[in-house]
Amino acid sequence: MSGSTPQSRRVILASLIGTSLEWYDFFLYTTAATLVFGKLFFPTFDPLNATLLALTTNAVAFVARPLGGIVFGHFGDRTGRKTVLVVTLLVMGVSTFLIGVLPGYDTLGVLAPVLLATLRFVQGLGLGGEWGGAVIMSLEHGDPRRRGFNASWPQVGVPAGYVLATGLLAILSFTLPDAAFMSWGWRVPFLLSGLLVLVGLWVRLKITESPLFAEVEQKGAKARMPLLEVLRTHPRALLSAFTARIGVDVAFYTFTAYILVYLTGPLGLDRQVGLNAVLIASALQLGLIPLFGSLSDRYGRRPVYFAGVVGAAVWVFAFFPLLETRSTFLIIVAAVVALVTHAAMYGPQAAFIAELFSTRLRYSGASMGYQVAGIAGGALAPVIAIKLVDSFGTTLAVSVYVVIALAITALGLAIAPETRDLDLAAEPMPQRT
């Protein structure tokens, strides 16, 4: 982070820690849904349908995320970024802790999965407001020439949260007997969330408000109804943000969530094989995401982003054949290369989407475009992948599905302006290609 001011470094650190904790909470649920929740909360169904139901409760959060983006985006554009980020962290942390103490179906009956889905919905609300605020704070504090690099750090929270969540579950799964892991071992990482949130709050309370928002506030230029104004003045930006994210999400959840289902189900491998592969690949993303964010400062957001789209579209046809070798080494290779292509898209994505919107509307616009795409993208990707393989009997159908989603992302990039050199304080932002 050389070249950044002390305050911008503190903001980036606070955003990274906060988003890491939020994604830690989020991925705990996703991983547990593939490994534990089907048996614990849906024991009356056969294994395939139990897993599908568990993944469906997982998808509830994606429905909640746009609502969280709307609500928290409104207050982020009206009252400031900092306060909203403190609230979103609390919302996510409390709901995650409660999942850790939730009894299963054997104790509560049908109420257990209902409460599970409700808490997952609350998680989605928190994450829906988190992403936009963390990205925008990092974007608006730093050097304009390093916006891609600065905004990429909240994105690092995704692999950081995944490594922490999956790593803890992997250790517990490896060290505990199956009965102990299924009974109480999986709960430990959820309960730790309460302690980790206190650390995140302490860091976030020490940062200052965004200088660009402070300038808008000083001028009395805040939007009264930010979302309505976004819909009226930034329709192309919303469409571009929405479409640019869909393929990235579908590819990511195919490479990180469906891989666990496919390896432990049709291929009959131990769950540790998939967990370790994704863990290693995610650890490498910790450095790759800011690298690609930095490259987008040099070469532009769209060229770097598009390179990742092409790479993922090509690699998905090698991904499943490598898994089907049942070779631990080749499974790791499949996951690593897959997440390298994802990092190339994800590194410039935050700056690209946030830069499409003017300062007074940025929180609402970026959050809405990004979070609505999550429903069409990541929410259903593992479920669709399971159904495609079940219907067609081949993973080729999943690969085609991923490529179609990536083609939509390429379209979103094509209709957007190159945002690297745009003036963030300009009103309104350009809406042409």
Side-chain angles (χ1 to χ4, degrees), residues 165-380:
T166 309
L168 281 173
L169 283 174
I171 291 170
L172 290 166
S173 175
F174 180 75
T175 57
L176 293 174
D178 280 350
F181 179 76
M182 293 296 297
S183 174
W184 60 267
W186 68 269
R187 298 180 183 273
V188 174
F190 285 84
L191 298 178
L192 282 175
S193 178
L195 178 62
L196 295 174
V197 163
L198 294 178
V199 176
L201 286 174
W202 178 75
V203 174
R204 283 199 165 170
L205 287 170
K206 297 175 74 69
I207 61 175
T208 60
E209 182 56 84
S210 156
L212 289 181
F213 176 80
E215 183 179 345
V216 168
E217 190 171 39
Q218 186 178 17
K219 292 178 179 178
K222 292 187 295 184
R224 293 189 61 186
M225 298 296 292
L227 181 59
L228 294 180
E229 195 166 332
V230 167
L231 292 171
R232 181 173 59 84
T233 63
H234 291 65
R236 179 171 290 188
L238 274 176
L239 179 61
S240 180
F242 174 81
T243 53
R245 188 189 172 204
I246 286 178
V248 184
D249 244 27
V250 169
F252 178 75
Y253 283 97
T254 300
F255 293 149
T256 61
Y258 181 66
I259 185 177
L260 301 179
V261 176
Y262 189 62
L263 289 176
T264 58
L267 296 186
L269 297 177
D270 185 82
R271 62 174 173 250
Q272 203 67 40
V273 176
L275 286 172
N276 290 343
V278 179
L279 190 62
I280 292 168
S282 297
L284 292 175
Q285 280 200 314
L286 298 175
L288 288 171
I289 289 174
L291 170 63
F292 285 114
S294 181
L295 288 174
S296 78
D297 286 327
R298 173 175 290 190
Y299 300 108
R301 314 289 184 236
R302 294 196 302 177
V304 176
Y305 207 139
F306 186 72
V309 170
V310 173
V314 172
W315 186 251
V316 73
F317 290 102
F319 181 73
F320 289 107
L322 288 173
L323 300 185
E324 289 158 3
T325 66
R326 292 179 168 82
S327 162
T328 299
F329 173 74
L330 292 179
I331 290 170
I332 292 172
V333 170
V336 166
V337 177
L339 291 194
V340 169
T341 67
H342 174 262
M345 297 181 284
Y346 209 58
Q349 182 188 74
F352 172 76
I353 291 177
E355 288 166 344
L356 290 170
F357 302 92
S358 53
T359 299
R360 60 198 297 271
L361 304 172
R362 186 165 295 128
Y363 207 138
S364 296
S367 296
M368 189 63 180
Y370 183 87
Q371 301 299 351
V372 171
I375 300 176
L380 299 177

